[in-house]
Amino acid sequence: MFGEHPGTPSGSRPDPARVLEEIKRLAVELLGAVPNGLYAPVEQQLHESSLRAGSGRHIEMQALLKLRQQSATYVMRFRQQIAQGFDDFRSLRIRSRGDLPLSLVAENQLAFHLAGQQLADAIESRYATPLQAMSLRLDKLAESLQMQASSNPIGAGRLAGAFIETYRDAQLPHDLQPLMFRAYEQELARVLGELYSRVNGLLGSAGYGVGVAQGPRPVPENVVVTRRDQEHDLVPVRERPRVEDPAVAAEIAQLRRQLHAWREQAPPHSDEQTQGTMPRRELRMEEIVSVASLLQPESPDVFVRALSGEGGKLSEAIRIRLRDGARRLGHSPEQTRLSAEHDDAIDLVGLLFESLFQSYALLDHARRLYGRLVMPYVKVAMKDQGLFVKREHPARRLLDAITEACEGNCAATAQDRELIERCAAVSQRIVADYNEDLAVFEMAHAELEALLQQHRLRVELQESRAAKATFGRERLNEARTQADSVLGYMFHEPITPEVGAFLSQPWRHHLVQTLLRDGSGSTRHNETLALGDALLDADRLARSGRDGRKLADRLIALEAAIVSCLASSGLDEDSARQGLAELVRALAYPDTQRGPQPLPVSNDEDAAGDDAAVWLAGGTDTIEHDPEVAARMRRLLPGEWLRLLDPAGQALAVKVAWISPLTGRFLLVNRRGLRVLVASAAELSALAQSGRLQVGAERAPTDEAMRHLRDKLAKAA
């Protein structure tokens, strides 16, 4: 990193403060994304636990959803804790017992701190050798800074303390705490090996650690070591794009095996067709990266056409461009070829971008934005295929943020247009600035994430409005159903048409309003029902023609209630009294023609809109469905993501935003918080059986796209 060998005299060492800052930058870069990787495995464990127990983990799920909604805050807080460790190292704020914060804690927090202590012990045990070496080197670094030896800023205790401080006020349920710690330990295992190896190598190359007796140590895969290096220390001469975590390496190997099986069934690509009989050498990594860098700022039109389906496969378009770029740099395609690793990277990038457009509602104006990113992502994949398996990879997180901003975004509002414009600016910056340093992706993601936080707040407000509007319509429909039930009972006998018209229109409207405002069984509700019964009695009395005085007294007694009922329908006092006069006139003649009255027909545009959104005839639980699938649908929780195909076959990412306490129907919204579907469990079951609904979609767009990609490859394998 700095060019000095460990044997270099201390006087010619690089500035120790700069060495410490470089370690700090490296630690924040590798550890900063750890909190984002906690939620998916915890959610999976909660889901499996609820299936085994036969009951939902609603409290834990709700708490986890709240953590996810505030994930950016926790990431920033965690990064600050990591950075603070280095500030403490320099300012000598030494903490006892390996950096775990010591203070009086509430009883409900005691288990949290004990779990942190156990985590620190586990890290110390697992990484004892590199931690011991690092501690000795940091002591020498502190001596160079004319400081007393301090605690390791990325030691076991410090990492456990950073987690505790980050989630101190998160109000985690008791059963959720151990799951979060376990996920944190697993996420740390993904990066600590690489981090400790690189920090030790960096300190060694800067001249710290001379004479440290450690015995033989395993050589990290991404470091080339000379014999002299082995006698003294590890010097990172040249990093190679390998993954150190065995689990990640195994996942990449499995992905490549599936890719090879899929490729055997596909037509040969152009590079294979032009191979001929002459042997060709493989392009070296630096050569292919130079070619990609040459092409990076050029027009992405060929990739845009491929993403639109008009220009063939995207991977083939990438190979054609790379072959043309190689020719321009003097590498003849007749004498050179891509290595197997490079070929795999190209196919995976092509399939990933195509999968994003197949899995999400990305509109036409987004294609150029994504097309511009193709070549930078090819460069990333060439050097680090962890892009395809590491959820916390900076380039992958940026792709998630861009997709979240662009999906279903037709730029209808000023805020949506700002998102699109910011994504376009971010893509242009990646093209201009990316030169094998992933920090460019991190900075671009941080910038876009800040804007997305504001967007998510608007989405939450939009979801709340959609839920309230849906609940309001359901209450209205329920009130109308109750009113029509009462009318059906009233209309079982012949009545005067004017009485029937009054009951089916102003009186029904008044009854619905009292149900909505005052509720069933309220005083106003009972008074409205009594008015309807009194009018029926009056009609029966008029039909008998025996006692006109009694009928007149009855109508006079009902006058105020009838006028009030008519007024609630929007009539002024004069019109209401005119309506009353017409009703009295009709009842004045015993021989008025009477007969059965038709029930009113609802003209509910909102309900019709719901039926159109549901895309199912009837929209009720009477449709054919699998009861077991419907039971699975009833276990859906707010915040869960699904994939839905609309009638045109367009894939949509939808979220369960709300479950009606009245009907049990599910409100599904898109990433903009707009209502997509309101349906019952039976209707969702029917959609799932027809292949138009997929439960358990990934929250992160790239995760879902990779799952779609793996499914495609697995079918071939």
Side-chain angles (χ1 to χ4, degrees):
M1 177 69 70
F2 297 99
E4 285 83 358
H5 188 271
T8 304
S10 60
S12 60
R13 288 173 179 165
D15 180 8
R18 191 165 70 91
V19 174
L20 187 63
E21 280 301 312
E22 180 63 22
I23 297 173
K24 175 181 176 181
R25 184 199 66 79
L26 183 63
V28 173
E29 174 186 328
L30 292 181
L31 292 171
V34 165
N36 275 336
L38 306 181
Y39 309 119
V42 171
E43 182 180 21
Q44 180 66 25
Q45 291 180 60
L46 287 175
H47 179 65
E48 293 174 354
S49 175
S50 64
L51 290 179
R52 289 193 300 268
S55 60
R57 304 291 294 273
H58 301 289
I59 296 177
E60 290 81 4
M61 282 292 193
Q62 289 293 338
L64 186 64
L65 176 61
K66 186 176 181 180
L67 292 178
R68 271 185 152 162
Q69 292 171 344
Q70 301 175 359
S71 60
T73 300
Y74 290 120
V75 167
M76 185 63 66
R77 190 179 299 174
F78 183 75
R79 292 170 71 98
Q80 289 171 348
Q81 286 294 321
I82 298 300
Q84 183 64 44
F86 290 88
D87 297 339
D88 291 349
F89 181 86
R90 295 201 62 175
S91 60
L92 295 181
R93 289 199 292 269
I94 305 175
R95 291 177 172 173
S96 60
R97 187 51 189 96
D99 319 286
L100 273 177
L102 297 178
S103 61
L104 292 176
V105 296
E107 185 175 352
N108 61 349
Q109 287 287 319
L110 184 58
F112 203 48
H113 282 254
L114 290 176
Q117 192 65 69
Q118 294 171 357
L119 172 63
D121 293 340
I123 295 174
E124 286 181 351
S125 175
R126 182 171 184 176
Y127 298 99
T129 300
L131 281 173
Q132 179 187 8
M134 193 187 308
S135 177
L136 293 171
R137 289 184 168 108
L138 287 173
D139 287 348
K140 290 186 176 292
L141 179 65
E143 183 180 343
S144 298
L145 290 168
Q146 298 181 347
M147 296 163 31
Q148 296 181 10
S150 182
S151 57
N152 189 342
I154 50 175
R158 186 76 206 194
L159 293 178
F163 182 81
I164 291 174
E165 292 297 319
T166 299
Y167 292 97
R168 176 181 292 278
D169 59 352
Q171 301 297 323
L172 299 179
H174 183 269
D175 290 342
L176 186 59
Q177 289 184 8
L179 298 181
M180 290 289 289
F181 267 104
R182 193 176 309 141
Y184 179 57
E185 184 176 358
Q186 292 171 350
E187 287 300 311
L188 285 179
R190 292 175 177 269
V191 297
L192 281 187
E194 178 184 359
L195 173 63
Y196 288 165
S197 173
R198 291 176 66 176
V199 170
N200 272 322
L202 193 154
L203 287 167
S205 67
Y208 300 98
V210 178
V212 176
Q214 304 175 57
R217 289 185 295 156
V219 179
E221 290 183 359
N222 67 330
V223 176
V224 179
V225 182
T226 65
R227 182 172 180 176
R228 184 186 178 199
D229 298 331
Q230 291 174 333
E231 294 173 355
H232 296 279
D233 216 325
L234 298 180
V235 182
V237 179
R238 178 173 61 89
E239 292 189 0
R240 290 184 291 207
R242 295 195 182 181
V243 180
E244 295 184 8
D245 190 329
V248 173
E251 193 172 352
I252 291 176
Q254 173 66 16
L255 185 62
R256 292 182 62 187
R257 283 194 295 270
Q258 292 178 334
L259 177 67
H260 298 164
W262 168 81
R263 193 183 288 153
E264 289 175 0
Q265 300 184 14
H269 53 72
S270 57
D271 200 43
E272 293 173 343
Q273 292 173 335
T274 59
Q275 181 171 353
T277 57
M278 294 294 294
R280 299 182 297 167
R281 73 170 181 87
E282 294 182 352
L283 288 170
R284 298 189 301 275
M285 174 64 74
E286 53 269 26
E287 292 174 334
I288 195 65
V289 169
S290 297
V291 172
S293 298
L294 171 70
L295 300 172
Q296 188 168 298
E298 297 187 355
S299 171
D301 288 347
V302 63
F303 305 139
V304 175
R305 287 194 297 271
L307 288 173
S308 68
E310 299 176 357
K313 292 182 177 180
L314 179 59
S315 56
E316 183 64 15
I318 295 171
R319 285 190 179 89
I320 292 174
R321 288 294 298 275
L322 288 174
R323 190 165 60 249
D324 177 64
R327 182 184 293 108
R328 286 154 58 185
L329 288 180
H331 306 299
S332 171
E334 288 74 25
Q335 299 175 354
T336 59
R337 63 184 177 88
L338 297 169
S339 69
E341 290 80 5
H342 296 162
D343 242 348
D344 291 347
I346 290 170
D347 276 333
L348 289 173
V349 169
L351 290 169
L352 172 60
F353 275 71
E354 290 172 347
S355 182
L356 281 171
F357 274 82
Q358 293 166 5
S359 304
Y360 293 93
L362 298 174
L363 306 180
D364 289 341
H365 58 249
R367 287 199 176 94
R368 187 164 193 84
L369 189 156
Y370 281 83
R372 196 181 293 124
L373 292 171
V374 167
M375 196 52 69
Y377 274 80
V378 168
K379 279 176 61 176
V380 172
M382 291 287 188
K383 296 184 71 70
D384 180 12
Q385 293 190 13
L387 166 69
F388 304 107
V389 296
K390 291 182 178 178
R391 291 183 172 183
E392 71 278 7
H393 196 287
R396 184 159 168 167
R397 293 175 64 207
L398 176 62
L399 204 55
D400 284 335
I402 290 176
T403 305
E404 180 181 349
C406 291
E407 187 190 12
N409 189 344
C410 56
T413 66
Q415 293 83 3
D416 286 347
R417 287 192 292 274
E418 184 182 10
L419 275 176
I420 292 292
E421 290 168 1
R422 188 67 61 86
C423 288
V426 162
S427 69
Q428 291 169 348
R429 186 176 311 145
I430 293 296
V431 168
D433 297 346
Y434 174 53
N435 187 21
E436 303 178 51
D437 185 357
L438 294 178
V440 175
F441 290 92
E442 287 190 340
M443 290 186 291
H445 174 262
E447 176 187 336
L448 187 55
E449 182 68 21
L451 186 61
L452 280 173
Q453 285 286 17
Q454 304 174 24
H455 166 71
R456 292 181 189 120
L457 292 176
R458 291 193 297 270
V459 167
E460 289 178 8
L461 181 60
Q462 187 67 41
E463 290 177 5
S464 176
R465 289 172 177 169
K468 290 178 180 178
T470 302
F471 191 42
R473 280 192 294 273
E474 288 191 342
R475 292 184 65 239
L476 176 60
N477 291 336
E478 179 71 14
R480 286 171 174 170
T481 300
Q482 291 185 35
D484 290 344
S485 177
V486 174
L487 278 179
Y489 173 76
M490 289 180 166
F491 287 178
H492 76 283
E493 61 179 289
I495 58 176
T496 305
E498 287 77 5
V499 173
F502 176 84
L503 291 174
S504 64
Q505 296 174 21
W507 181 83
R508 174 181 179 265
H509 175 78
H510 189 57
L511 178 60
V512 168
Q513 294 304 311
T514 58
L515 284 169
L516 291 174
R517 294 172 181 170
D518 303 287
S520 179
S522 64
T523 301
R524 291 188 64 208
H525 177 240
N526 292 334
E527 290 174 350
T528 304
L529 292 177
L531 172 61
D533 292 337
L535 276 176
L536 287 179
D537 288 342
D539 190 63
R540 296 188 194 102
L541 190 60
R543 184 172 54 194
S544 67
R546 292 192 300 267
D547 193 343
R549 170 65 64 181
K550 186 176 181 181
L551 174 61
D553 292 342
R554 181 72 57 84
L555 292 175
I556 290 172
L558 294 175
E559 178 181 359
I562 293 174
V563 171
S564 176
C565 181
L566 290 167
S568 73
S569 297
L571 299 178
D572 58 27
E573 186 175 353
D574 291 340
S575 298
R577 293 196 176 278
Q578 182 180 352
L580 172 63
E582 292 175 354
L583 191 60
V584 171
R585 188 180 304 113
L587 292 173
Y589 298 98
D591 56 349
T592 299
Q593 185 68 33
R594 291 172 171 83
Q597 299 298 310
L599 288 172
V601 177
S602 296
N603 184 20
D604 187 353
E605 294 181 0
D606 288 335
D610 271 347
D611 288 341
V614 171
W615 310 317
L616 292 170
T620 69
D621 285 354
T622 59
I623 61 174
E624 293 185 5
H625 65 280
D626 186 335
E628 293 185 3
V629 179
R632 166 69 181 90
M633 298 299 171
R634 292 188 184 93
R635 292 195 294 270
L636 290 174
L637 296 173
E640 289 195 56
W641 286 88
L642 307 90
R643 287 187 69 242
L644 184 68
L645 296 181
D646 66 13
Q650 174 67 60
L652 302 171
V654 294
K655 183 178 74 172
V656 179
W658 173 77
I659 303 173
S660 170
L662 188 63
T663 64
R665 293 200 303 169
F666 296 83
L667 169 64
L668 306 183
V669 299
N670 61 17
R671 289 191 186 273
R672 324 218 72 70
L674 301 177
R675 184 182 67 175
V676 173
L677 179 67
V678 181
S680 67
E683 291 166 339
L684 294 180
S685 172
L687 285 172
Q689 289 173 250
S690 65
R692 293 172 56 190
L693 181 70
Q694 177 185 333
V695 179
E698 299 286 354
R699 178 182 179 88
T702 309
D703 291 346
E704 181 61 26
M706 284 303 302
R707 184 167 75 167
H708 186 271
L709 187 158
R710 287 190 180 93
D711 290 344
K712 180 176 182 178
L713 298 182
K715 291 178 182 178

